[in-house]
């Protein structure tokens, strides 16, 4: 029924058609991908004011075990997804198949909830996304994407439930949204550039993360990213860059500013030794991290070490700048400290905690 109604809107010759999911209605939707190549009109509007839910049990999903996503949109040029409705992935049964909890379940690839792929000129506004089996929203191989006024929520213990993931995409803006998940509120992956993130409330979750980059020796790049006006509440990280040893590529030309931390465990972190399973070999090559700016970052840290810069000996972090940083330890005011390894750069204004590996500079 849902697909037939969409096909009718897609096939019409009417300019800028609208497909409506009405308020007060709930629709159970099996995995489905909408393909813009099959539509006669551009600038289609999907107005979601009702509720869309996924099957409750993984075994009830009408697809192979390795579903890549639940709801997908591919090959669109001009797509407007908006409304006051809710998209609920009913992921709690999927979470119990997490490799972190049960190694025998690793063959079950958990689907992303909502995917935009190979598309441009797409905007998403006003919707609520809940309890995805894995990532809630993914932008893949797309450009000119705008996401605004979204609410994304899943329990803090839910594994791999990133709020929004960006991969191989350019000119993406995300703003004025609240994200509460069990993983990164927003994660930025390989081949992503010209990304703007602003006015975000994040927590619980793992913060806003670039990476991980360089796994299994891959060459991966992220650049021209601007993150501003973000508030973290009880997150495991604030703003984070994470790369694997042995990788190649770069993370560069990135600015974090006007950030507030409320009891984040690690408000500022660069980790070129990322290894979540703790069984990684030491390697000399690394993803190069350079031209990273932090400005006006304030609040409290849940741990004493509020700033951690763990950079490679062979490929140190370069041109790291910090200006007007004030992070205090929530248990002992003004007692925060920093950890700095193989990082080079400058600090200006008040920078607390002090970061000894960055040189004091009054004019930069």
């Amino acid at each position: 029924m849902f697909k037939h109604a969409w096909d009718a809107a897609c096939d019409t010759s009417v300019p800028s058609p609208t497909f409506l999911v009405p308020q007060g209605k709930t629709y159970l939707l099996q995995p489905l991908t909408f393909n813009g190549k099959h539509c006669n009109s551009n600038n289609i509007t999907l107005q979601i004011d009702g509720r869309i839910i996924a099957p409750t049990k993984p075994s009830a999903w009408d697809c192979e075990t390795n579903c890549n996503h639940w709801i997908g949109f591919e090959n669109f040029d001009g797509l407007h997804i908006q409304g006051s409705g809710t998209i609920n992935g009913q992921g709690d049964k999927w979470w119990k198949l997490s490799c972190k909890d049960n190694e025998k379940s690793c063959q079950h690839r958990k689907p992303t909830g909502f995917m935009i792929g190979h598309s441009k000129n797409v905007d998403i506004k006003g919707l609520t996304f809940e309890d995805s089996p894995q990532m809630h929203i993914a932008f893949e191989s797309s450009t000119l994407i705008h996401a605004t006024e979204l609410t994304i929520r899943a329990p803090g213990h839910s594994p791999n439930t990133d709020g929004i993931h960006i991969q191989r995409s350019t000119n993406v803006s995300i703003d004025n949204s609240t994200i509460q998940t069990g993983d990164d509120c927003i994660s930025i992956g390989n081949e992503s550039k010209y990304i703007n993130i602003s006015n975000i409330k994040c927590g619980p979750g793992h913060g806003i993360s670039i990476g991980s980059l360089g796994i299994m020796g891959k060459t991966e790049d992220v650049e021209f990213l601007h993150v501003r006006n973000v508030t973290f509440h009880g997150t495991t990280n604030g703003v984070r860059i994470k790369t694997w040893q042995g990788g190649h590529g770069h993370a560069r030309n990135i600015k974090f500013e006007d950030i507030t931390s409320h009891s984040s465990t690690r408000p500022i972190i660069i980790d070129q030794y990322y290894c979540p399973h703790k069984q990684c070999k030491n390697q000399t090559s690394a993803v190069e991290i350079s031209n990273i700016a932090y400005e006006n970052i304030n609040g409290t840290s849940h741990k004493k070490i509020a700033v951690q810069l763990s950079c490679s000996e062979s490929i140190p972090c370069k041109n790291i700048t910090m200006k007007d940083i004030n992070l205090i330890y929530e248990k002992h005011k003004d007692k925060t400290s920093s950890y700095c390894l193989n990082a080079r750069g400058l600090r200006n204004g008040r920078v607390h905690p002090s970061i000894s590996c960055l040189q004091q500079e009054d004019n930069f």
Side-chain angles (χ1 to χ4, degrees), residues 156-182:
H157 66 269
S158 57
N160 305 120
T161 53
D162 299 50
I164 300 175
H165 179 68
I166 304 167
Q167 188 91 2
R168 297 183 298 276
S169 295
T170 62
N171 297 294
V172 177
S173 62
I174 303 168
D175 56 57
N176 298 298
S177 296
T178 299
I179 305 175
Q180 303 168 312
T181 71

Side-chain angles (χ1 to χ4, degrees), residues 140-155:
E140 301 180 3
S141 303
S142 296
T143 188
L144 298 171
I145 308 294
H146 182 207
T148 187
E149 298 176 24
L150 303 181
T151 299
I152 303 172
R153 55 190 177 221

